[in-house]
Amino acid sequence: FSNSGIRRISASIASLPALKKLVLKFGECLIVSDEGIAELSNVFRTLPSLTELELGINSCYITDTALNHIGSGIKDLVALRSFMLDISNCERVTSYALENLKSGLKSLIGLQVLKIHTSSCKNIDDETLATASQILCSLESLQELNLNFSGCENITDTGIKNLEKGLQARHN
């Protein structure tokens, strides 16, 4: 699978404005890059009825820039209730990954389910969890949370404390 394949799929998806659920998995496609994710993210704006979005781009050749594109693409999906992103094993993704998604996620005021998987991303660290904490504080409708940071060797107790603060702030 390549960026040109994503471009073709994106064009087809854009012709389905009434789409409610979109599940796309491009796992282990080393030739899928930020450019392909940008093409795909632009299509999200054409899907005003979308309530569920699941993106599996694990083990792909993406950077934080791809996540910036996703964040920009989802920010206007006011009907979105469930968002799942799997970027596990994306070695070029850094601690700024969630920072680039933050504005898009924070605008999803009706979001009820959030799943983010970053397992085995060697550059994910405590800063990532601090950003996750900020995102969680803003999602007042959240009912289900699934964060997978397994195998992220740069997460320490400090990162867990940052995440804990965000979860506790939701109760106050």
Side-chain angles (χ1 to χ4, degrees), residues 73-92:
I74 64 173
K75 70 179 180 186
D76 296 323
L77 295 177
V78 295
L80 199 65
R81 297 297 175 255
S82 177
F83 179 70
M84 188 276 197
L85 176 65
D86 185 353
I87 55 170
S88 299
N89 297 304
C90 291
E91 294 182 2
R92 298 176 68 214

Side-chain angles (χ1 to χ4, degrees), residues 43-138:
V43 170
F44 298 155
R45 294 180 182 96
T46 68
L47 304 172
S49 301
L50 199 64
T51 58
E52 294 181 55
L53 177 58
E54 183 176 329
L55 297 174
I57 49 179
N58 56 303
S59 301
C60 291
Y61 198 67
I62 62 165
T63 68
D64 297 336
T65 301
L67 300 175
N68 191 44
H69 293 305
I70 293 169
S72 295
I74 64 173
K75 70 179 180 186
D76 296 323
L77 295 177
V78 295
L80 199 65
R81 297 297 175 255
S82 177
F83 179 70
M84 188 276 197
L85 176 65
D86 185 353
I87 55 170
S88 299
N89 297 304
C90 291
E91 294 182 2
R92 298 176 68 214
V93 170
T94 73
S95 62
Y96 297 104
L98 290 187
E99 187 67 38
N100 287 346
L101 277 175
K102 184 167 67 173
S103 65
L105 287 172
K106 288 177 88 171
S107 69
L108 302 175
I109 58 173
L111 193 68
Q112 298 172 352
V113 177
L114 177 62
K115 299 176 183 181
I116 298 178
H117 297 201
T118 64
S119 62
S120 299
C121 289
K122 64 182 177 180
N123 297 314
I124 298 295
D125 60 16
D126 294 342
E127 287 299 314
T128 309
L129 294 187
T131 304
S133 176
Q134 294 169 12
I135 293 168
L136 293 174
C137 288
S138 68

Side-chain angles (χ1 to χ4, degrees), residues 3-4 6-7 32-40 62 65-66 69:
N3 289 332
S4 62
I6 289 179
R7 192 173 299 114
V32 170
S33 67
D34 297 342
E35 178 186 328
I37 300 304
E39 291 274 345
L40 178 64
I62 62 165
T65 301
H69 293 305

